[in-house]
Amino acid sequence: RRRLKDPRLVTEILTVGTVSRTYVGMMYIDTIAPPLLVAEVRRRIEAIKVDVVNGSGTLQPYIDDHPQSLLPTTMITERPDRAAAYLSEGHVVLFVDTSPHAIICPTTFWSLMQTAEDYYLRWPFGSILRYIRTGALIISLVLPAFYIAVVNYHSEMIPTEMMLFLAQSREPVPMPAVVELLLMEWVFELIREAGARIPGIIGPTVGLVASLVLGQAAVEARIVSPITILGVA
């Protein structure tokens, strides 16, 4: 309310959880948020029949369109400026008692590619950053599979000099390219999880050092090829 001083800003207090009796604040701007959206969000919250709801992450799956989907239809944020921006665009924002995160309803794939800092940039720079994020997402999803497809099945697509380099780097590796790639994906996920769970500021440092040391050791031990580590990273 410090950011949006509009008297049309409405807050409805709902209760979820038969045991926890958790307060959920549903906030929207009247005449901007579609009435059908407000009614649907209210209906989904009132239809929740569980014992305990102790946070935004617990509430989110119960109001998503497809809880099993990899892409969420609601977004969690802990930034007041971002929540205020989405409220002004006609979204509904949910606040769960004792939780520092807000749930923005609904959200789209393109909303997930946007950050809170984009609101503070001029449109050319914000658009360029969104294009960069989209390209990075495509590369991270497609590059490992593209590498396997080209190396194993479509080697004629690679220039001769590069193909010779790939063959030379993979010559001492005893494993197939698919096994090599999946192994490194699994190892990198373990390192990232370990770095995220180590308390304090040492966590990211441990993850970075472990990635460098294990990657170098794996290459020197001839378990994986350098090009595979580059693609996975």
Side-chain angles (χ1 to χ4, degrees):
R1 289 190 175 276
R2 293 183 60 186
R3 295 176 181 270
L4 300 178
K5 300 176 178 63
D6 196 325
R8 298 173 297 172
L9 184 61
V10 179
T11 304
E12 297 184 16
I13 304 299
L14 306 173
T15 304
V16 295
T18 56
V19 175
S20 63
R21 307 296 296 172
T22 305
Y23 292 128
V24 176
M26 184 177 68
M27 185 172 285
Y28 59 92
I29 298 181
D30 197 15
T31 71
I32 295 182
L36 291 178
L37 172 62
V38 176
E40 178 63 20
V41 174
R42 185 188 301 112
R43 183 194 67 81
R44 295 190 185 191
I45 295 176
E46 293 175 346
I48 297 175
K49 304 299 181 183
V50 294
D51 293 336
V52 177
V53 173
N54 52 15
S56 302
T58 308
L59 179 67
Q60 187 181 20
Y62 293 106
I63 60 177
D64 270 345
D65 288 335
H66 307 285
Q68 306 300 327
S69 174
L70 295 178
L71 294 177
T73 53
T74 58
M75 179 169 49
I76 288 183
T77 181
E78 57 181 346
R79 296 193 55 159
D81 54 349
R82 195 172 197 185
Y86 276 94
L87 280 171
S88 65
E89 294 173 2
H91 293 256
V92 176
V93 179
L94 302 177
F95 298 92
V96 181
D97 190 19
T98 72
S99 176
H101 301 90
I103 304 176
I104 299 173
C105 312
T107 188
T108 62
F109 172 78
W110 301 111
S111 299
L112 301 176
M113 302 301 296
Q114 183 179 1
T115 64
E117 287 76 16
D118 292 348
Y119 290 104
Y120 302 101
L121 300 175
R122 296 176 63 88
W123 71 266
F125 306 107
S127 301
I128 290 174
L129 288 177
R130 293 192 193 105
Y131 289 136
I132 291 175
R133 292 189 202 106
T134 304
L137 175 64
I138 294 174
I139 290 174
S140 63
L141 290 176
V142 174
L143 183 60
F146 182 77
Y147 168 73
I148 295 297
V150 170
V151 169
N152 286 359
Y153 304 103
H154 302 283
S155 56
E156 67 277 1
M157 295 177 58
I158 308 176
T160 305
E161 293 79 4
M162 188 174 183
M163 191 63 208
L164 292 175
F165 170 75
L166 290 176
Q168 182 181 2
S169 64
R170 296 208 70 257
E171 181 182 2
V173 179
M175 293 182 295
V178 176
V179 177
E180 179 186 0
L181 187 72
L182 292 177
L183 176 63
M184 292 310 301
E185 289 276 3
W186 180 62
V187 169
F188 268 72
E189 287 297 327
L190 288 180
I191 294 173
R192 185 164 60 179
E193 182 70 14
R197 300 303 168 210
I198 295 177
I201 61 176
I202 196 176
T205 305
V206 170
L208 176 62
V209 173
S211 301
L212 294 174
V213 172
L214 289 179
Q216 184 67 25
V219 171
E220 293 181 356
R222 298 184 177 182
I223 299 177
V224 296
S225 60
I227 190 67
T228 301
I229 293 183
L230 179 62
V232 172

